[in-house]
Structure formats: C-alpha cells, structure tokens
Amino acid sequence: MRPSTTIGVALRSFGNPLLNDYEETVRRLYDAGYRVLDFAFVCHNYPNYILRADDWQQRIDRIANLAQKLGVTFSQSHLPYITDTMYCTDANFQKPGYAEYFDECMRRAYIGSAMLGVRYATAHPMSFPEYNFEEQPQLEENRKYYDRFVELGIQNGVGTAFENMLPSLNRSWPDRYCTRYEELIRLVDSYNDPMVGICWDTGHANQMRFDQVRALRAVGHRLKNTHINDNHYGTRDEHLQPFMGTIDWFQLIPVLAEIGYDGDLAYETNQVGIKAEGTLQDAILRLTYENGCYLVKIYEDALAQRKENATV
C-alpha cells in the first residue's frame, strides 16, 4: 500500500475558469512527495479539458513519459461522471450533441487510462428516479450504459471500480442508487468478473453514517480503489484530510488489511488548500502526503499484527 492522491487536488484552483497544466500538476505532486497518482478525467466541461483536444493521445503520452521519467505510477483513474448521477438534473444533457460528447469522453478516458498504466478506473453508478429508485431496473439501466465501456476497459487491461455514492445532501432527491453498499455489491457481482470491483469513498460512507468496518467487511475482495477523505456529516461533501472530520481512522484502516486490500490509499482531499496559491498550496500538498504516510503506517502495523497472530 502506498500514499496516493488525485491530480484534481492541484489541477483546479478556486475561481479559475481553466485547468492548470497537467504536466506541471504531476510535477508539483511529485515535489510534494507523491509517487503514486489517481488521474482525474472528470473535468469534461472545462474548455481546456485534456480529452477535448484533438491531440489528446499525444498529450497523455507526454504525461506517461513524464511519469516514467519521474518514477511516478498511475494506479487508478476517475472517469467522467454526470452531475447528481442523474441525466434529469444535468442541464448539459439537454444540449444537442452533449450526450455523444460525454460518451466519447468516456471512451477516451478508458483508452487514456490504459496508456497511463491504470489498473482500475473509477465509475459513478447512475440513478434513475423515473423507476422510483427501485433497485433492479436501476441495475439494468447501469448495465445497459456501462457494459460497452467495461468491455472496452477489459480489452485494454483496465478494470472498472464502481463507487459508493453520496446521498442527496440538500434532500432534493429521496434516494440515489448505490449509496447503500448492498446495491453496489449486487451491481458488481452481476458482472462476475475480477476486472469489475468497487471504489470505496470514505467520505460518502461517512455521510451515510455507516459503520465502515462492517461495510468494508461486506465489500471484501471486491475492493479495488479507494477515495480517502473526511467530513463532518451535514450538507457538504467536504473532502477534508483524514483526522479533520469525524471518521475513526484507527478503526477503518486496519480493516483494509483484514480484507486483503492490496491497492493504494488515494486521497481525494480537493477542498484542502484549493483557495491557497503558490508555495502555500505546495506546503498543504506536502502535508496531505505526510498524512497519507501516517495512514499507511497504521495499515502496515495492522498487517504485521495479523501475521504475528497467525503464527501464534
């Protein structure tokens, strides 16, 4: 296990209508200490989004070459996603041609993930209120949409990790598909393929007030990716560093050793330092790396204790 982070923590700046340079973002995260990254293909509505460009493959190839030179690994990625996970709440899908553009971004994100050596790309299950949020038709609709992309990923050596979703914090909707881990497990198990698994977002689970030890034991071998962040419940998905919110990390991290998780701790702490600039933001990025190293130490200690207990 290694400390990791999404490039989104430095790719976007507060109030900036454009994305920062992708290669410079990788360099900054390298300088902060990170050697493992989660590539964010999620900024598809920005005009300088990497997959929007005609030379997107050449740009990704440059990033892959830079990462190899620096000794940086992209162990996971994040696919484009729909606002609120629902077509009906995303105004962009009312625009002619946008659905086709979004699907092309999905296709390119899988190919780009393969170019970067990603093991599993994280996907958001979609919600369908027109079915009264009934589980089975929502599972079927997700299969109808994602099957072609899951297969594309498999053909290119990239697995798909479906993420546990965030509840509707402003209560505009009574439910969202895969906020409950039982639904997520059934969606993943419907594929019956080791290349399809789960991404566990600790902040989303905290908003659901789950006992995350119990939840992760249920997820078990299906866990492929993580989104590590903290919050205080409430009405905001705060994306704070661990120990800044209400999650008990001394209970949560050891269960990852218990269930045999062999991936990385990928921080998704985008709100920490997003309003800072320059050297101050770099200092905050270094702090997130040290925070991640601390959690990795908790994991390693738990793993060593389990091995010791097994020999007694």
Side-chain angles (χ1 to χ4, degrees), residues 41-229:
F41 286 111
V42 300
C43 305
H44 45 279
N45 292 328
Y46 280 73
N48 58 333
Y49 175 52
I50 192 168
L51 298 183
R52 187 189 291 264
D54 291 337
D55 64 343
W56 63 275
Q57 287 178 296
Q58 290 90 332
R59 294 180 66 185
I60 291 175
D61 194 50
R62 288 198 297 270
I63 293 169
N65 289 336
L66 172 63
Q68 183 177 34
K69 179 180 178 180
L70 295 175
V72 168
T73 299
F74 290 98
S75 64
Q76 62 185 65
S77 65
H78 201 312
L79 299 167
Y81 63 88
I82 300 170
T83 304
D84 274 344
T85 74
M86 304 181 200
Y87 288 113
C88 60
T89 61
D90 192 324
N92 287 303
F93 280 89
Q94 310 308 314
K95 301 175 184 175
Y98 186 83
E100 292 77 10
Y101 164 73
F102 182 86
D103 288 356
E104 177 61 13
C105 288
M106 287 285 291
R107 187 188 72 83
R108 293 182 180 187
Y110 270 101
I111 294 172
S113 295
M115 293 174 66
L116 294 169
V118 165
R119 293 175 59 201
Y120 285 88
T122 297
H124 282 193
M126 293 185 285
S127 297
F128 296 89
E130 60 266 37
Y131 294 109
N132 289 333
F133 297 100
E134 294 172 10
E135 180 183 355
Q136 187 58 33
Q138 292 193 104
L139 186 155
E140 292 170 0
E141 289 297 326
N142 274 275
R143 288 295 306 263
K144 285 179 186 177
Y145 182 78
Y146 275 112
D147 281 6
R148 54 184 161 152
F149 295 117
V150 168
E151 182 58 31
L152 175 64
I154 291 171
Q155 290 171 0
N156 286 275
V158 179
T160 300
F162 288 101
E163 183 176 352
N164 60 309
M165 287 289 89
L166 185 72
S168 178
L169 297 181
N170 63 4
R171 304 299 183 265
S172 59
W173 294 96
D175 199 2
R176 287 172 77 181
Y177 182 55
C178 286
T179 54
R180 290 177 291 280
Y181 54 91
E182 301 97 325
E183 292 179 335
L184 187 62
I185 288 170
R186 284 190 283 269
L187 171 62
V188 167
D189 286 355
S190 73
Y191 282 93
N192 191 31
D193 193 308
M195 293 292 283
V196 181
I198 286 174
C199 173
W200 190 256
D201 188 303
T202 57
H204 291 179
N206 198 44
Q207 288 287 0
M208 290 294 291
R209 305 204 178 201
F210 285 147
D211 174 346
Q212 296 201 54
V213 171
R214 180 184 177 93
L216 285 167
R217 283 173 176 160
V219 168
H221 68 278
R222 304 171 185 85
L223 186 63
K224 306 300 180 184
N225 288 354
T226 57
H227 286 168
I228 302 297
N229 60 96

Side-chain angles (χ1 to χ4, degrees), residues 253-269:
I253 296 299
V255 78
L256 297 179
E258 177 186 326
I259 66 175
Y261 175 61
D262 63 354
D264 299 307
L265 290 182
Y267 274 41
E268 200 177 59
T269 54

Side-chain angles (χ1 to χ4, degrees), residues 5-57:
T5 191
T6 171
I7 67 167
V9 296
L11 188 60
R12 289 176 289 183
S13 300
F14 184 78
N16 183 0
L18 296 176
L19 300 172
N20 295 323
D21 180 78
Y22 284 84
E23 292 176 64
E24 179 60 26
T25 295
V26 171
R27 290 190 188 94
R28 289 182 66 197
L29 292 171
Y30 172 85
D31 290 341
Y34 287 103
R35 299 298 180 265
V36 186
L37 298 174
D38 176 349
F39 198 91
F41 286 111
V42 300
C43 305
H44 45 279
N45 292 328
Y46 280 73
N48 58 333
Y49 175 52
I50 192 168
L51 298 183
R52 187 189 291 264
D54 291 337
D55 64 343
W56 63 275
Q57 287 178 296

